[in-house]
Amino acid sequence: MAQNALAKEDEGHPKVGALIRARRRQQQMTLMDLGAAAEVSVGYLSQVERDHATPSLGTLAQISRALGVSIDYFVATPAPHNALTRAGERNRFSIDGSSIVYERLGAEFPGNQLSSFVMSVPPGYRSETVAHEGEEILYVLEGAITQRLDGEEMVMNAGDSLHFRGNRPHSWSNHTDRPAKLLWTGTLALFRSTARPARQVAAKSKTGANKPVRKKVIPKEKRT
């Protein structure tokens, strides 16, 4: 029987917000530094650090890369070594504070580009709005969700799919009173190891004072 990898606060696992804040301070980053590097708003990051909001897996991956760590640093996740996974035997996991349960479908091997999960979404769940690198394909297995993409809202029922570039602002929610199950596949790197931070955070002056080295942020609408 597969082990259940659900992260639970009552088992002593620290909340994600506290771990993010501790790592950010260790890296001598301000909320503004982290927001610019992860392409996440400072206001939302502040809510996450205070555990008033729970990031989606994709947003947590962006924060992880900006902090120079793997997503495993923040959440206990299964690491399948084999390409074959069987129904009913896959390890499941969640992010502390989130009601979504993930089942990891993809394996890691040199050169792999895809990540894939089955997501169980409870009634009433609503994600944050994000934009990031790569592509996404969303396929509704059971139930229904409301997908928002570039300001357009669409209801997706079982059997419907959507393929889009991740740099288009998007969010989704389960507007129904029944659980939904989704198949998510994308090129956004989630669990690949990141040995280095996404950018140099600070450089020391000759007097020893820390001077943040800020990365120029290009507005999304000007990116190609």
Side-chain angles (χ1 to χ4, degrees):
M1 182 180 296
Q3 294 181 349
N4 191 316
L6 288 171
K8 297 179 181 177
E9 183 182 8
D10 59 6
E11 291 177 353
H13 191 280
K15 297 283 281 184
V16 170
L19 290 172
I20 291 174
R21 182 171 57 251
R23 176 65 180 177
R24 174 176 63 78
R25 289 175 176 173
Q26 183 183 51
Q27 295 295 96
Q28 298 181 320
M29 297 178 78
T30 66
L31 276 172
M32 188 175 294
D33 293 332
L34 181 56
E39 298 185 280
V40 177
S41 75
V42 172
Y44 183 71
L45 275 176
S46 177
Q47 287 186 310
V48 169
E49 286 198 356
R50 289 179 290 131
D51 293 312
H52 293 169
T54 303
S56 66
L57 201 58
T59 299
L60 187 58
Q62 290 173 244
I63 295 171
S64 299
R65 282 197 302 278
L67 291 172
V69 294
S70 165
I71 200 171
D72 297 337
Y73 184 90
F74 298 112
V75 57
T77 59
H81 300 292
N82 299 319
L84 176 66
T85 64
R86 297 195 182 276
E89 296 181 359
R90 282 186 287 269
N91 286 339
R92 302 183 304 146
F93 68 97
S94 66
I95 301 170
D96 279 329
S98 174
S99 52
I100 293 185
V101 176
Y102 299 87
E103 293 181 42
R104 184 174 175 180
L105 302 179
E108 289 188 20
F109 51 84
N112 75 298
Q113 298 294 319
L114 295 177
S115 297
S116 188
F117 300 88
V118 171
M119 302 163 58
S120 298
V121 186
Y125 176 86
R126 186 184 183 96
S127 77
E128 69 274 25
T129 299
V130 296
H132 51 72
E133 65 184 62
E135 301 175 52
E136 295 188 29
I137 296 178
L138 194 63
Y139 180 84
V140 182
L141 297 169
E142 299 174 10
I145 64 164
T146 298
Q147 175 74 40
R148 297 166 188 85
L149 183 63
D150 267 347
E152 180 182 354
E153 190 171 283
M154 60 198 85
V155 174
M156 298 177 60
N157 297 297
D160 293 344
S161 67
L162 183 67
H163 184 189
F164 59 95
R165 291 188 182 276
N167 62 359
R168 301 172 64 186
H170 55 279
S171 65
W172 52 274
S173 60
N174 182 352
H175 61 280
T176 75
D177 58 1
R178 295 190 305 154
K181 184 169 287 189
L182 315 175
L183 172 61
W184 180 91
T185 300
T187 57
L188 176 65
L190 295 178
F191 293 102
R192 292 166 220 167
S193 109
T194 54
R196 305 174 193 156
R199 64 191 177 91
Q200 180 67 33
V201 176
K204 291 197 173 183
S205 68
K206 293 180 180 178
T207 61
N210 287 333
K211 292 184 178 180
V213 178
R214 299 187 184 278
K215 173 182 171 184
K216 182 179 180 181
V217 179
I218 302 173
K220 289 186 173 65
E221 60 270 16
K222 293 185 180 180
R223 296 179 187 173
T224 57

